[in-house]
Amino acid sequence: MEILVASAIGILTAAGIYLVLRLRTFPVILGISLLTYAVNVFLFASGRLAVGAPPILRDGVEVYADPLPQALVLTAIVISFGMTAVVVMIGLGAFLGSDTDRVDDPAEDAS
Amino acid sequence: MSLATDILNWVLIATFIVVAFSQIMAMLRLVKGPTVGDRILALDTMVVNALGIIVLLGMWYGIGIYFEVTLLVAMLGFVSTVAYAKFVLRGDVIE
Amino acid sequence: MKSAVRWLMPHPFLTLILAVVWTLLQNDISAGMVVFGLILGILIPWGTAAWWPDQPQDFRLGKMVSYATIVLWDILVANVQVAWIVLTRSNESLRPAWVVIPLDLREPEAITILAGTITLTPGTVSADLSSEGHSLLVHALDCPDPDAVRDEIKDRYERRLKEIFL
Amino acid sequence: MSHWIILPIVLPAMLAPFIVLAARYHIGIQRVFSVAGILAQIALAIGLAWQAADGTVTLYQLGDWAAPFGIVVVADRLSTVMILLTSVLALFVLLYAIGSRWDERGRHFHALYQFQIMGIMGAFLTGDLFNLFVFFEVLLIASYGLMIHSGGNERLRAGVQYVLFNLIGSTLFLFALGSIYAETGTLNMADLANRVDLIGEEATVGIRVASVLLIMVFAIKAALVPLHFWLPSSYAEAPAPVAALFAIMTKVGAYAIIRVYTMVFPPELEATAGLHGLWLLPAALVSLALGAIGVLAAKKLDRLVAFSVISSMGMVMVSIAMFTQASITAALYYIVHSTFAAAALFLITDLARAGRRDLALTPQPVIAGATRTAGLFFIAAIAMTGLPPLSGFVGKLLILDAGFATDMATWIWAVILISSLVSVVGFARAGSVVFWKAQSIDPIDVEEGVDMTPPSALAYTAVGGLVAMLVAHTVLAGHTSGYADKIAAQLFAPDAYMSVVLDTPGKLSDGSYEDGEEY
Amino acid sequence: MSLFLIVALPFLGALLPGLMNSAGRAACAGVTFVVTLAAFVGLMTNLPAVAAGEVVSVGVDWIPIVGLNFNLMLDGLGFFFATLILGIGLLIITYARHYLAREDHMGEFFTYLLLFQGAMVGIVLSDNILLLLIFWELTSLSSFLLIGYWKHLPEGRQGARMALTVTGMGGLALIGGMLILGNIAGSYDLSVILQSKDVIQDSPLYLPALILILLGCFTKSAQFPFHFWLPHAMAAPTPVSAYLHSATMVKAGIFLMARLWPVLSGTPEWFVIVTTAGLITMCLGAVIALFKHDLKALLAFSTVSHLGLITMLLGTGTKFGAWAAVFHIFNHATFKAALFMSAGIVDHEAKTRDIRLLGGLRVLMPITFVIATLAALSMAGIPFLNGFLSKEMMLEEANHTTLFGMPWLVPVLATFGSLFSAAYCFRLIGHTFLGPVRESYPAKPHDPGFGLWGPPAILVVLVVAVGVAPFLATPMVQLVASAVVGEAGAFDDKYIKIWHGLVPALYMSIIAVVGGLVVLAMFKPLLRAWDAAPRPEAKTIFEALISGVVALAQGISHTLHNGAFSRYAAIAMITFIAVGYHAWQTGTVGEASRVIQEAGPVAIAGWLLLVAATIGLVLMHRRRLLALVLIGIVGLMVSVGFVYFSAPDLAMTQFTVEVVTIILLLLALNFLPKQTPVESSLSRRLRDGGVAILGGVATLILSYHYLIRDAVTGPISEFHLANSYKGGGGTNVVNVILVDFRGFDTFGEIIVLGIAALLIYALTETLLNGPVRARLLNRRPDQARAGDVHPMMMVVLTRVIMPVVLMVGFYIFLRGHNEPGGGFIAGLIVSIAVVMQYMASGFNWASDRVRFPYHGVIGAGVLVAGLTGIGSWFVGKPFLTSDFTYVRIPPFQEFELATAALFDVGVFLAVVGAVMLSLESFSRLARRAHDKDSDHPMDIDPSREDDAQAVKGA
Amino acid sequence: MMWELIGIYVAIISLIIGAIFTMVGAIGMLKLDNPMSRLHAPTKVGTVGIGALLLASMIHSWVTADGSFNELLIMAFLFVTAPISANFIAKVYLHTNEDKTLPKPPRDDTWSTLNVPAADRDLIED
Ligand code: NA
Ligand code: NA
């Protein structure tokens, strides 16, 4: 099981990095989203894996999944949602102003 | 009773496998397309199947608390299907 | 008095549905929960009334129940049929076809229920309305005779719906 | 229960939504509340700094939960000085934003400003690593809003890169936090410091990787080469007051490194031995050099200033990377200096924009008041490049002196001194073109659409205030550097801090709650 | 007068002329003069003490931790220099008052001049070498301002920059040298350092310190090879040249060599470096000076030459050398300042300084002629003028000096230098003042008023007085030289006299003077040879060097910072991986401590789907809609994974966030291109792929590493599990952590969301009020849009479903503390319910019926959460302390009332407000692009016809 | 005991039905060659398939624990939304494909999806 999760993190990360290195805003944002998934799962996994043991207290149940990483990931998901919305909006604003959604700045050399 | 429970467990596992297999087939359709409609359809199906998997997990672990998740998946899957479709139809999802 | 009730409960049927939903959600039929569900059932429609501006359509609840029973039965049968088609028939032997259903119904709610029914039942999917809403476009999975399908739909469902929605 | 410590965070957090709610359409009211809020911040910061001055470490347990189970904020010498620095900077920058009417050129400037302050304050005060992440995000997202304030194509394009780069940084932060929690099972810094001691030498990779991931997160903030690429365009394109406020943001990274790598992963910790020696100091030296090269190479005044920020952060990082008490002292002194110097330069750059088509380093007509601007630029440039008599020089002396005893002394000295020279040449070239050569241009050649209104008195006052801070930091250098030394002393004896954080009882630990049902 | 005040007066006084510019030229000059005079008089009050051999010192701690203290001392050397600085300063101020033109900004000039003066006085009075450094650099800065005073002149700006660059470089070297010196001696106080000769000279760091300090001195005093900046600084107004380049700034380097002479000199290193540099400078400067046609340039190179002479004398390391050096410093200051001022007068009157255009001025400007001639002859080393005396001493010293084992080398070169020195002096007199009067001067010259010729005249009086009566200077030289060598009264004061007998120095002097005349006689052919000879032009070299450095800097900086985010990101990723790898590879890997769990078929299928969707996304990312569908699948599978691994709250959050994100992305994609073009080369993609795979492998290994091991000790969440119910009143531990244990994180989190929404709103406003607006209005869809915008079936369904979804949201909210759910998820659900309505009936129709402004909802949310936290203050508890109780109101069951729930209400409101404000903002962009909006919730509604007919019928 | 046993067997049967129908939906979606035909399979069969699984879950919960009606709610939700989803996907099909076999509506001009706004008519690709 562990290797499945670890490799999923690895594959999400690799895909995320590849897309982040693209030249247009849209795929880069998708790449960031994939990286976000990867890191959320990674952070989640820092509490180790537990199947069928949600941290909802029940009488007579002793074993629970680690709730803390779950809370942290929840916070991280929310924050990255806000960030994604913002970067989409700024990217859109840049596109509407200049008619290109390239990430790289062509005018830099001139400045 | 224990026989019945055993059978139930076996059937549960078999159902898991079937639903998982259905997911993979839906995924194939999603990748294959060829029309946008097919892809949205495949996504819709996968959401519903995922819901099935969660229901099965709830049965397997005997924990009722996955209900909220299931309910949410049912609601939101619909919304996202409509959103994708509206995008293809109109470009603007909210207009 | 009636207008006060209308003001309080713009959509009584919705209130009922919400109360039922609340009970199903709570998984518990205690007095407190039902009362709470009713309170929500009144508050929520009241809060969302602006988005349902039309006066609600009167309908016959009894006929609605019998309609629902028929549809449920049709769904069960239809699904077995469709399953059979999917599993046994080859693509070549299928005869998909478009069926046009001229509508006598006028009310959006009624038309929606009809369209939904068609989608949930045997080998048919409602695909579109005509541009003024006078016809319904239906796709049939295996349909040697579109006219027959049309007549059956009109007879089996639309007629009943017309009786439900006066 | 004293709630003063939490106020620097809660006050702007409440003020900002209040501004959004109540004063959304009235810029005047927004300004009044915003300035009042910052003044209150200064008062709070002075009080807290006073309280911490004798070495007292004050703890505040959010939700009454004892560390490490709940989140704590901690006020010691370092954190209180940082919030004082932030609030003083914030006041002058805010006055400038009002005086230059930048705040009117888009929506929600003041709310975002307050949120930005909140994020920075939180980052300085928190004692919990994940909470630090949250405050990083607060300050970042507010900075995104401020950075693109008033829009414009170049600004938005730079904004996209700025946000994307920081998103990568945030992702890395979470990887680091995940690693730390996986390895140690805690998030509280003091608790973490205890737990890393438990790690045996037979299994160190986990904590080593966690440690470097974390320092790289902070290095991004601190614009350490090669993680600095986000800085030049975003600082150059940001509205001037925003860029000026950002002067403190790079310091958040420096602060975090100082905090974490003196307490949690101190140089003498065996598990993480030899991790940073290889690259941290060289990277800092390269930052210093590359920043200076950028200053010399810049073709626009705002980019020049942005590169000087990289260079000054290089100085800070060189000093931090030595990790001795003397070097941290020097770093702290320099942090205060470079914050004011960079902020002043960004604002002066904006003053220089008046009457100009752009900030390209070409002679363009100058308008009334340009002599004043030129004078301010000269002073700020002296400060930034570390020429006497201003605090930049004092800071440089402190750093050079601290570097004397290290193995890398030759490198440190050579790079610092040569970079200074390169910066001086760069600033002299730029200043002489923008302020001197411009005088050979006939003002009749002014192009259409160029705003000829001279900056307002309030704008000059704000800049003057920042310059006055630099002067004060120089004249009182004996006191400020002496206090920096005390801060460093406290940092290098973290046991007191740790015991305050970890030994203070909270809810449930003092028996105030009855035993409930068992679960 | 206190030394503090002497140093402070010029600085404080500097404010005055700048502020009183409008009071007029005379007032500016007057106040400057008074300030300088005050300082001068103050200095003189210390004369008795200094003359008595005392060292006056004062001090105050400034920056003790680095040893930088404001310590001043006044001994003979300092007194001598301070007198020169202030005394000549007084003359220069008088001269400048008359020299500067009406349009020159007088106040600014005198401000800079006083700053400079203060800095110079500071240098010579500093008892702390770090303090000295500060004043040292201040002279560079203030001279930068003075040289660039005429900002409109390109030569002024270039000269200023060159001076700043060269002296700045030296200053930085000096910083290094001084710090080393201080560290060797254990103190930065001169009084300590001057006692530490042996420690310093035995230190292995002596040589680096020496080289760095000499770099500082040589650049400042224009010694070869740093001599080239000085002539270009002549672009400054002449009073500046006269002040800086005769008496003051260029002497700072000399001063410092003299100041540190006791501890640095006497070693072979010192001797070789300093003497050689001095000799070369002396000869080179003299030769170049001869061929300069600009009077000021000639004087500038003569200054270079004489500074070389003094340097050479200090380099010999003998007491006699030091003595001669001191004497020549004084003499040079007097005649050179007089010469500069004379040159200024010529320039001022004749409007040219080109010697070739001059000649015959003897008749037109007799006073100036006398002054200049006396000063020039003194410089040439003619007896009965002070220059002769010190030059004799120099030649004498040269005779005793053996460099590189060649005893003849120094005397020959010294004579050579003197010869050319005499030559250019004669040329100056001959070609400027003698000869026939011309008709062609740019302006008709005549002697100026006393204001201009008075100051040089006073100096020439000194020149002659000392030249005729050398004993007048003896006490001064005695005093100063003692201070330099650090021993009182060690000199044979009889040496300062005109006639020493027929010593070799006399012959050398005669050779020099006669040779000078011969050279001048051969000037024309020599000039032709000079002009024909290829020689490096220092300015060209310097400028080429600087522009080369700038080009290199631009090459580096612009190549690195080329604006390519993709490369920035790649560099960052590679850095993360490399540094992480280094950390890993230098550490030790412990044993795995956890049992690896079996993976069932469902897990494997889920993994397959996730991987397939991810890889599919990478392969097909160019088709953007498809990419969005695929990322939806990735999100779905991650959510299912969270369910599988016991995290229902996470699954719900992930799933709802996913839907909202996709709607946002779809809203944005509406405007963006629907395809991503192929732009990067195959090799580039391979490179990116390589980086990606490295990163993937790194995270795989790292996460697997942690997954199969336990933390070093039990995680803190054990406490949360144990106390969630007892202390937080909830059984959903995740929720209790979010709203209670770590409620502060959540507080920050909702603020992030709120800011995101405000930002999006603000940017939308900005876009809609800017040039983008017209673009949006004229925008055309990139494909035909389908009819039926608001389909009937959707509208009808929404009417029923939306209330149900709202109720579900309410339910999820209420249960959140004990079961999966909570304010955040509920907020998202409610938002999605409203979005459904938006999608069904359109933005306008739906939002017209929304009762709350979303801004307000966000603000209220944050305020509610914050006020809940603040509420605990009133019971004396910290921010966000929760409390809960169980109540029972019939007919309801017992339920829990927790303050955490109120906090959760804040979370809920903030989330609803933020999500809705963001969506609304996105939609507004599109709304502007559209033509009209419907009054009806649905487009097609046959029942409307009935109504219409009914209306018609009625 | 008896009821529990019956309950378990009913749950088993429901599971089997659910599995079969889920499978059929997936097969149909893969196998059928016409996009409109493919729409039939999952929207209906899939719904019933998952419906059966939900039923099994509900019965199971009554047998093994306190029992719940929650599943009914989810089932209702799926049944109500499935036709709308199908309708939208059909509209997507009509909009993105030109179907020659499509009949004209008898009383109105065209089908609502094909009723492209006048401004966009020139964008229709042939
Ligand atoms: Na939360
Ligand atoms: Na559906």
Side-chain angles (χ1 to χ4, degrees), chain A residues 74-75, chain E residues 738 746 749 824 907:
Chain A
L74 214 150
T75 303
Chain E
L738 286 172
T746 308
E749 169 199 321
F824 184 78
V907 174

Side-chain angles (χ1 to χ4, degrees), chain D residues 60 128 131 201 208 432 478, chain E residues 62 161 586 588 742 745 879:
Chain D
Y60 192 84
D128 185 281
N131 196 237
E201 62 179 23
R208 290 174 77 82
S432 81
Chain E
W62 183 15
R161 281 211 306 265
T586 51
T588 49
R742 300 185 64 92
D745 278 346
F879 191 68

Side-chain angles (χ1 to χ4, degrees), chain E residues 465-486:
Chain E
V466 173
V468 175
F471 59 89
L472 289 174
T474 310
M476 174 194 77
V477 177
Q478 180 77 277
L479 182 68
V480 178
S482 315
V484 171
V485 302

